[in-house]
Amino acid sequence: MGQSNEDAPAVTTRWNVDHLTGHPGPNLVDHPLLSAILRSRGISTTEEATRFLTPSRGTLADARLLPDAEDAAQRLRDAIADGRRIVVFGDYDVDGLTSTAMLVRVLRRLGAAPIPLIPHRIRDGYGLTARAVDRILAEQPDLVVTVDCGSSSPIELQTLLDHGIDAIVIDHHHYSGALPDGVAFISPRRPDNAYPFADLAAVGVTYMLIRLLLGDDDAQMYLPYVALGSVADVVSLRGENRILVARGISKLRRWLLPGIIALCANAGVPQADLSSWHIGFTIGPRINAAGRIDDPTLALDLLLADDETTATPLAAQLNALNEHRRSETTRVLREAEEQLRASGWRPTDPAIVVAGEGWSNGIVGLVASRLVDQYYRPTIVLERDGEIVRGSARSVPGVDIVDAISASQDLLDRFGGHAAAAGLSMRYEVLGKFTDELNATVLDLCRGRLPEREIVIDAETIANDLDLGTVDLLQRLEPFGAGNEEPRILVRGVGHRSARASNDGRHLLLHVTDDRNRSHKAVFFNAGDRLAELTNTPKIDIVTRIRRDTWNGRDNLELHLEDFRPAT
């Protein structure tokens, strides 16, 4: 069994400051700190910097460059003109729900009466399954449009075609083979794709179809859906996604959609101040909660609600479901960590695989993400249901989890996803063999070296320059998200005082001081066990994100530490 994970060496963290050495280069904009951050993100000219800082002025490529997009638009026009029955079938996460809601609203606007369907995670499974096809057939449609799913379901699509039902697939996932002839398949992942930006979320791909249906000017009113789905699906906020999300958030802040108004009110978020952070950590999780532990149709109904009377109780339901989701995540995480300790897992092992009964399939992906954050290993968390285990995988940079899983596909009943996240199922009896093979595969993908946590530092500043003006400066880089995270700033030789662990012992709380003896509140989440490192260490170097903290009407600077070490 080996030593317990408590006795094993901790995962090392490397501070990547390689790009900060040498001559800093010319200022790209009117502030050296902002210029340094832009350079760290691969932006090297003033023109590139201007485009990055003003994404709302950017232009989108011709939507007709997406394969089958024109064909799909024409099929929809013909179906509407002929009064055919249309089913829109979308995934149960935020990307699928916003794609479905947006397309349904547009089709209604064009005179159709589309029937939206969302699979139930437990009863139907993920994506376009055989059970989902049964639900679709019961509606007797003439045309089915799948959004955020379908690219890995050739058999199910063939079933629809065999019943005389036309099919359009709108997706952004990797896929392993061709779909049946006759299916209009819109995807930037197709080998024959000519659209210059391939990292769109499903809601972004759906928006390209809507541009063809409505024209660019009329389509823009639906950009808030695109912002919600894109940020929540953690697609890269570079290129066209940055344009779509920036415009979408701007409209989202003044959107009169009753569901969003009610959701913001219930979450305690001023709608006029909505940011990508709120989408990722307050609004998105509430929309997701329905599909994780209940019926995702609740969230779709909220996104399609046209009046406050309908929207308000739905938002309250989603808020309650989100609270339940949080408590269940905490429980399953605790049980998963207990299983790791009992199994003798060590941080020197390349991957983590845990499975348990009563672990909701809607929670396991969140638990996998938490374990990745803690141990920095590709992680698979599975729910055991009799002789079957099914669940979710999450990975670290440099390890494509689909590649890692597919090396053992002969042991799997089903799998799919992308480099950072995937879903899978298998028989319980092969779980041990799968785990051994996964460890070997991950080690091979890492060329024999275990993944090392790395903090890429964007820029360096001095403690005396930390103030609210710095916060305002960094906000020019919004929207933040994957591919454009909040800047990590290195500050050397700061003092500290009043260090303590939070009441539950999980977090480290302190105040950071500068040479002028000004003090700023700082928090280092999930680092309560590092309190002793500050003893007899009067000066420390810190890597931090810089935030604004508003309390009782007053704004203060707050530092969210990512790491610290004795001052060098």
Side-chain angles (χ1 to χ4, degrees):
M1 296 292 287
Q3 69 190 105
S4 74
N5 58 315
E6 293 176 304
D7 299 327
V11 176
T12 59
T13 301
R14 175 178 180 261
W15 291 17
N16 185 342
V17 295
D18 298 346
H19 54 287
L20 301 184
T21 60
H23 190 275
N27 283 335
L28 303 174
V29 290
D30 55 2
H31 196 286
L33 179 62
L34 192 58
S35 292
I37 295 169
L38 290 169
R39 284 194 300 271
S40 76
R41 298 183 181 196
I43 296 167
S44 58
T45 68
T46 302
E47 292 75 20
E48 290 173 345
T50 300
R51 285 197 300 270
F52 190 88
L53 295 175
T54 55
S56 59
R57 298 180 192 170
T59 57
L60 303 175
D62 189 338
R64 292 173 296 181
L65 295 174
L66 277 166
D68 288 355
E70 280 190 289
D71 178 30
Q74 192 56 51
R75 292 191 197 195
L76 285 168
R77 293 188 195 99
D78 292 343
I80 294 169
D82 295 341
R84 299 180 212 158
R85 287 173 65 84
I86 301 173
V87 163
V88 179
F89 182 88
D91 190 21
Y92 42 61
D93 68 1
V94 181
D95 191 17
L97 289 164
T98 51
S99 299
T100 302
M102 180 172 66
L103 186 56
V104 165
R105 284 195 178 275
V106 169
L107 293 177
R108 287 175 178 172
R109 175 177 173 176
L110 294 173
I115 303 160
L117 291 179
I118 304 293
H120 190 283
R121 188 185 291 263
I122 304 302
R123 293 194 296 266
D124 301 318
Y126 169 77
L128 186 64
T129 61
R131 293 195 58 148
V133 169
D134 289 340
R135 287 184 60 194
I136 291 171
L137 293 176
E139 299 293 341
Q140 298 182 323
D142 302 297
L143 170 63
V144 172
V145 186
T146 72
V147 287
D148 199 24
C149 61
S151 60
S152 59
S153 305
I155 296 173
E156 290 78 9
L157 288 165
Q158 187 62 56
T159 300
L160 294 176
L161 297 178
D162 291 344
H163 281 79
I165 300 169
D166 196 8
I168 297 171
V169 171
I170 306 171
D171 206 353
H172 71 132
H173 294 105
H174 292 290
Y175 70 104
S176 56
L179 298 185
D181 291 339
V183 174
F185 178 27
I186 311 174
S187 170
R189 300 292 180 187
R190 283 178 49 166
D192 58 343
N193 171 53
Y195 197 81
F197 186 75
D199 291 331
L200 295 166
V203 72
V205 183
T206 306
Y207 181 74
M208 298 306 155
L209 176 62
I210 288 170
R211 291 173 62 199
L212 296 179
L213 291 171
L214 298 180
D216 280 346
D217 290 343
D218 286 348
Q220 290 193 53
M221 68 178 290
Y222 300 98
L223 280 170
Y225 283 124
V226 182
L228 287 170
S230 297
V231 173
D233 213 53
V234 201
V235 294
S236 173
L237 297 190
R238 301 295 289 264
E240 289 201 358
N241 281 338
R242 183 164 172 79
I243 296 170
L244 293 168
V245 170
R247 291 178 182 172
I249 288 177
S250 177
K251 294 180 181 299
L252 188 60
R253 289 171 178 159
R254 54 186 187 274
W255 209 19
L256 298 180
L257 193 74
I260 295 302
I261 294 171
L263 203 56
C264 287
N266 217 285
V269 176
Q271 186 177 347
D273 297 331
L274 270 176
S275 67
S276 53
W277 187 91
H278 294 111
I279 295 173
F281 294 97
T282 58
I283 302 302
R286 283 165 170 77
I287 297 173
N288 254 334
R292 291 192 183 280
I293 56 178
D294 203 301
D295 189 343
T297 303
L298 291 170
L300 181 65
D301 289 344
L302 179 79
L303 293 172
L304 290 173
D306 288 320
D307 57 79
E308 181 182 351
T309 302
T310 302
T312 300
L314 286 171
Q317 273 186 276
L318 292 184
N319 191 64
L321 287 173
N322 190 53
E323 289 302 312
H324 180 57
R325 186 271 309 167
R326 292 174 65 181
S327 65
E328 278 294 283
T329 301
T330 300
R331 176 185 69 83
V332 175
L333 178 62
R334 182 177 64 249
E335 293 179 8
E337 290 178 322
E338 290 171 355
Q339 187 178 126
L340 275 183
R341 284 192 288 271
S343 71
W345 183 88
R346 301 166 298 176
T348 50
D349 294 335
I352 292 173
V353 180
V354 288
E357 295 181 348
W359 294 1
S360 168
N361 193 252
I363 299 297
V364 292
L366 299 175
V367 174
S369 294
R370 296 279 188 89
L371 292 173
V372 169
D373 289 342
Q374 184 168 347
Y375 297 107
Y376 207 72
R377 293 290 179 265
T379 298
I380 297 176
V381 181
L382 302 161
E383 172 199 17
R384 183 179 179 184
D385 182 9
E387 294 308 308
I388 299 295
V389 289
R390 60 178 65 87
S392 295
R394 298 293 185 270
S395 195
V396 298
V399 179
D400 187 317
I401 196 63
V402 172
D403 285 350
I405 290 171
S406 63
S408 301
Q409 59 184 291
D410 59 310
L411 301 176
L412 304 178
D413 296 332
R414 189 180 179 100
F415 75 97
H418 49 78
L424 69 163
S425 65
M426 73 190 86
R427 299 183 312 283
Y428 179 72
E429 64 186 25
V430 304
L431 181 59
K433 183 179 181 182
F434 172 82
T435 301
D436 291 341
E437 290 187 7
L438 180 71
N439 276 295
T441 301
V442 169
L443 198 59
D444 184 57
L445 291 173
C446 294
R447 296 181 173 86
R449 297 184 60 183
L450 293 174
E452 180 184 45
R453 193 190 307 273
E454 180 179 79
I455 297 178
V456 178
I457 296 170
D458 291 281
E460 182 175 350
T461 191
I462 60 174
N464 288 355
D465 285 348
L466 294 177
D467 54 32
L468 289 174
T470 308
V471 178
D472 294 335
L473 180 75
L474 298 182
Q475 284 180 336
R476 292 173 61 184
L477 296 163
E478 286 268 16
F480 294 126
N484 182 47
E485 296 184 350
E486 281 186 83
R488 294 178 173 93
I489 307 298
L490 170 62
V491 189
R492 300 181 192 266
V494 301
H496 62 87
R497 61 175 178 81
S498 307
R500 64 180 180 87
S502 59
N503 291 337
D504 60 6
R506 291 179 57 196
H507 312 303
L508 181 61
L509 311 176
L510 66 153
H511 283 77
V512 167
T513 58
D514 62 18
D515 293 339
R516 292 178 285 180
N517 207 32
R518 292 185 309 166
S519 176
H520 304 299
K521 185 166 67 172
V523 57
F524 191 172
F525 292 107
N526 299 310
D529 58 351
R530 296 187 60 182
L531 176 62
E533 295 179 38
L534 294 173
T535 304
N536 300 321
T537 309
K539 294 283 188 177
I540 56 176
D541 298 337
I542 62 173
V543 179
T544 186
R545 301 178 193 268
I546 304 172
R547 302 266 179 87
R548 183 188 305 274
D549 177 48
T550 302
W551 180 253
N552 287 335
R554 295 187 61 184
D555 288 346
N556 295 289
L557 189 76
E558 182 171 283
L559 304 177
H560 287 210
L561 302 191
E562 299 246 331
D563 202 4
F564 69 86
R565 65 188 183 191
T568 55

